[in-house]
Amino acid sequence: QVQPVESGGGAVQAGGSLTLSCLVSGNGDYCMAWFRQIEGKEREAVAAIHTRGRTHTYYADSVKGRFTISHDSANDTLYLQMNSLKPADNAMYYCATRGGIIGTRQRLDCRTTPDAYRTWGQGTKVTVSS
């Protein structure tokens, strides 16, 4: 398994935008997600998507309407478009792949806990100033 490689983090003023990219490997049947970890807090899922569209796309309530996750299978790249950034978005952002699915035949969702993902990138820092 090749470790994902994130890029695109940086410093931006509140209200600005950033796009994170993550070079992933393989086209297996699994979930991919962006997590973030704010200093002193647990790692939390920000958004998750399935490689083959088998699940609903997940967004944390705190980023709904501002962040968009997408996957370009041709380029093996996972993206997180972040708009209207806030100081509360200050965190280290991690790309995670080979995540599991949960649900029923009527509805499938990507798991959103860190232990459900087997492969992680090193992280990229996002700093939002007020």
Side-chain angles (χ1 to χ4, degrees):
Q1 297 177 1
V2 177
Q3 186 177 31
V5 179
E6 303 101 335
S7 62
V12 65
Q13 289 190 327
S17 298
L18 284 173
T19 300
L20 304 183
S21 300
C22 178
L23 186 62
V24 298
S25 65
N27 288 296
D29 189 341
Y30 49 73
C31 288
M32 300 181 290
W34 288 97
F35 284 76
R36 69 183 180 188
Q37 190 161 19
I38 300 168
E39 190 171 347
K41 296 188 176 182
E42 294 184 353
R43 194 170 295 190
E44 63 173 355
V46 173
I49 193 169
H50 191 270
T51 53
R52 297 177 182 174
R54 290 178 56 204
T55 68
H56 287 77
T57 301
Y58 167 82
Y59 292 100
D61 288 342
S62 58
V63 306
K64 280 180 181 176
R66 300 188 299 122
F67 290 11
T68 302
I69 188 172
S70 61
H71 175 230
D72 182 346
S73 59
N75 294 309
D76 281 344
T77 303
L78 182 69
Y79 298 98
L80 185 68
Q81 174 67 42
M82 305 185 294
N83 298 326
S84 303
L85 282 161
K86 306 174 182 179
D89 296 317
N90 272 309
M92 185 71 79
Y93 285 73
Y94 298 90
C95 171
T97 67
R98 301 186 184 277
I101 296 172
I102 190 171
T104 65
R105 187 174 298 177
Q106 287 72 34
R107 179 183 172 115
L108 294 174
D109 292 284
C110 290
R111 290 187 177 272
T112 56
T113 57
D115 60 358
Y117 291 77
R118 290 188 283 165
T119 310
W120 291 82
Q122 291 296 317
T124 186
K125 177 71 173 172
V126 171
T127 302
V128 184
S129 58
S130 56

